[in-house]
Amino acid sequence: TMRMDGVPMNQGGSYQGMLFLLQEVTEIRRLERMRSEFVANVSHELKTPVAAVKGFAETLLGGGVKDEKTANSFLQIIYDENERLNRLIGDILELSKIESKRVQLDCSPIHLESFFQSLLETLSKVAEKKSISLSMDVPEELFIEADEDKLRQIFLNLLSNAINYTHDGGSVRVTAASRVKTDGDETVVFSVSDTGMGIPRKDLPRIFERFYRVDKARSRSSGGTGLGLSIVKHLTELHHGTISVDSDLGIGSTFTLELPLLQEEES
Ligand code: ADP
């Protein structure tokens, strides 16, 4: 019998064993590649704002900037870049916490109408600035069992994106409805739709990946980290739910989320 990796194999099973081993090696290599890509991305994303802060601070400290207006605009850049850095660090820590499975759900019944009312209120200022109308269609009596903080994070991300990637004067709408699946499982189907710029078909399969952006410049200038949707997907899966996206370029996007009505006890 062949021995590989110190593990004895069954007589006649060595071929299959080898196949498993190969698959495992391929999987380990894939994870390793993803990890090093992530580290490279993180370094790049962190270095950009740090370099900007350093450069503008040095210029100001050098005393070369005489007029107050220019000096103030440099200070504003330093402030904004530092804010972005702050968001990035927060998102990276959040993501690594979720991915290392150190996150536990703290579920309770949530009244969805009040939940979305308060969420839309939080976002009303940002929407007003762009004259975007925010609306909701949520049945009065609908409850879901979920982790409220995480549900809030999911919809804050989706709604902020919808506002961000929609032109002035557009509209953003969130809906929720209960559903009984063919197998009898009860779920709640949510949608967040906008009349925004849309996402090119070829980018759709990739937008939930970490740091993936359709338009880097636009995401940066709006303060995006490129991690929001990746966090949303993880939090959805943590609730045993699914998320999908449908989009027409120049017309708008719809993100659809389906979450179980009740969370089963972890065994
Ligand atoms: P970001 O911080 O860049 O917004 P996300 O992970 O939240 O990162 O989103 C990834 C990318 O998906 C965005 O950069 C943007 O290109 C695209 N995207 C997300 N939501 C929308 C939307 N509602 N409309 C158009 N594009 C979107």
Side-chain angles (χ1 to χ4, degrees), residues 50-238:
V50 168
V53 168
K54 183 168 187 248
F56 285 98
E58 274 173 358
T59 310
L60 286 171
L61 286 169
V65 184
K66 295 294 176 229
D67 73 300
E68 203 176 325
K69 229 176 129 192
T70 314
N72 273 332
S73 75
F74 283 13
L75 281 173
Q76 187 66 50
I77 296 175
I78 292 175
Y79 183 86
D80 292 344
E81 289 295 312
N82 190 63
E83 282 293 287
R84 225 168 68 73
L85 201 54
N86 202 8
R87 268 197 305 276
L88 254 171
I89 293 170
D91 278 359
I92 290 167
L93 290 179
E94 179 69 28
L95 202 58
S96 78
K97 214 163 65 182
I98 305 171
E99 290 194 344
S100 64
K101 308 265 183 316
R102 273 181 288 132
V103 180
Q104 293 230 324
L105 293 183
D106 179 13
C107 293
S108 60
I110 299 162
H111 182 239
L112 287 172
E113 196 190 35
S114 335
F115 172 82
F116 281 113
Q117 251 158 15
S118 120
L119 209 56
L120 292 198
E121 209 168 294
T122 309
L123 291 163
S124 62
K125 278 240 160 55
V126 205
E128 256 169 44
K129 262 194 203 148
K130 293 183 75 181
S131 310
I132 287 176
S133 78
L134 284 178
S135 63
M136 59 184 257
D137 180 6
V138 178
E140 207 184 302
E141 72 287 358
L142 190 56
F143 280 82
I144 191 171
E145 195 175 74
D147 184 314
E148 184 157 4
D149 287 343
K150 297 189 173 58
L151 200 67
R152 208 176 149 78
Q153 211 179 344
I154 290 176
F155 286 101
L156 259 178
N157 269 310
L158 291 177
L159 288 162
S160 312
N161 275 349
I163 295 170
N164 235 336
Y165 299 106
T166 294
H167 308 285
D168 289 15
S171 54
V172 169
R173 187 171 179 76
V174 58
T175 70
S178 59
R179 175 176 173 228
V180 182
K181 297 210 295 192
T182 43
D183 59 10
D185 285 354
E186 289 181 278
T187 65
V188 177
V189 179
F190 301 91
S191 76
V192 174
S193 52
D194 62 60
T195 59
M197 58 188 46
I199 301 160
R201 193 137 291 270
K202 70 166 176 41
D203 293 303
L204 281 179
R206 299 199 58 190
I207 58 164
F208 293 100
E209 289 176 21
R210 300 179 289 205
F211 294 120
Y212 193 83
R213 295 137 158 156
V214 177
D215 179 350
K216 266 200 190 323
R218 172 175 290 278
S219 163
R220 282 243 170 71
S221 66
S222 64
T225 62
L227 293 174
L229 284 182
S230 166
I231 292 175
V232 165
K233 185 157 196 261
H234 274 98
L235 292 178
T236 303
E237 286 168 358
L238 216 57

